Structure formats: C-alpha cells, structure tokens
C-alpha cells in the first residue's frame, strides 16, 4: 500500500478500485473489522471518516485506494486509520460555506480525531488519523 509505515500490532488492510462502490465497501470493511476487535463504539465514527477520505480519493485520484486499520502494540487507547491513494498532492483543509455541497471531509477528520496528518509515499500519499479507544 502507498505510504505505509511498518507498525507493530493488530492490522487489517484493504485495497479498493477507484470506483464509486469503493466508499460503501470500505465503510462495511471498517465496521466489520472494528466489531471483530470489540471496538463497536468506534465503528460508526471510523466508517464515516474513512468514507470521507475515500470519497476525496475518488474525486481527485485515479488508481487503487488503500485503507488500513492499526491497533499499535503497547497503545491500547489508540486506533490508527490510514487511507492511501496514488495522487502525491496532500489534501487541503478548507472552510466550507453553509451552501457548499462538499468540502467538509477534512474538517470532520480534524474535529473528530485526536490528531491527523498526511505523509508522502513512493507513489502517492497517505492521510491518517487517530481515534481514542474508550477505556
């Protein structure tokens, strides 16, 4: 996957074609995996944020879209979520006006996660965010 950094811990990853059905499929995969990890309380939020980032990838990039969930070893209170695509340009957070139909994805990620960012890969970029795992 593009821009992946090796991380110790539980990990699930998928690659989706750059097609409209990828958003729904990615949401379902994230929910199913989080339920399998007994993280049901994060499933809706993680699926929402993944669907926003996958939608951004579909709008701006061509090629496969990667999604990865990581429960880093030794960090029981963190879920790391990554979405990768072949477009090297980092996304830009912008202020959406009330009448705008789009432009709120990164605002949702920034406002809902502990922290987030982007990193370049050999052939694209990864947008990542961390969610707090309830204790």
């Amino acid at each position: 996957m593009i821009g992946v950094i090796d991380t110790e811990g539980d990990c699930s990853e998928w690659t989706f074609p750059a097609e409209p059905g990828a958003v729904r499929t990615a949401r379902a995969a994230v929910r199913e995996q989080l339920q399998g990890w007994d993280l049901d309380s994060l499933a809706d939020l993680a699926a929402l944020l993944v669907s926003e980032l996958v939608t951004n990838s579909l709008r701006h990039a061509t090629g496969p879209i990667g999604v990865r969930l990581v429960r880093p070893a030794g960090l029981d209170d963190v879920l790391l979520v990554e979405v990768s695509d072949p477009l090297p340009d980092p996304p830009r957070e912008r202020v959406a006006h009330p009448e705008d139909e789009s432009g709120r994805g990164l605002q949702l990620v920034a406002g809902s996660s502990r922290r987030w960012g982007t990193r370049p890969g050999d052939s694209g970029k990864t947008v990542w965010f961390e969610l707090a795992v309830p204790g």
Side-chain angles (χ1 to χ4, degrees), residues 1 7 12 17 20 28 43 46 55 64 72 78 85 93-95 99 102-103 112 114-115 119 126 135:
M1 195 181 327
T7 307
S12 286
T55 297
V78 173
D85 65 49
E93 189 176 0
R94 65 184 185 94
V95 176
E99 66 277 0
S102 64
S112 302
R114 285 195 346 185
R115 54 189 199 124
R119 68 174 177 272
T126 297

Side-chain angles (χ1 to χ4, degrees), residues 25-76:
T25 307
R27 256 193 326 259
V30 166
R31 277 197 178 101
E32 183 177 334
Q33 183 59 58
L34 292 180
Q35 288 167 351
W37 284 345
D38 293 324
L39 294 176
D40 299 52
S41 62
L42 294 178
D44 287 341
L45 178 57
L48 170 68
L49 299 180
V50 163
S51 91
E52 291 292 334
L53 294 177
V54 170
T55 297
N56 284 351
S57 292
L58 285 172
R59 282 194 179 131
H60 303 289
T62 58
I65 300 165
V67 175
R68 186 166 84 139
L69 304 177
V70 181
R71 297 190 66 190
L75 297 174
D76 295 336

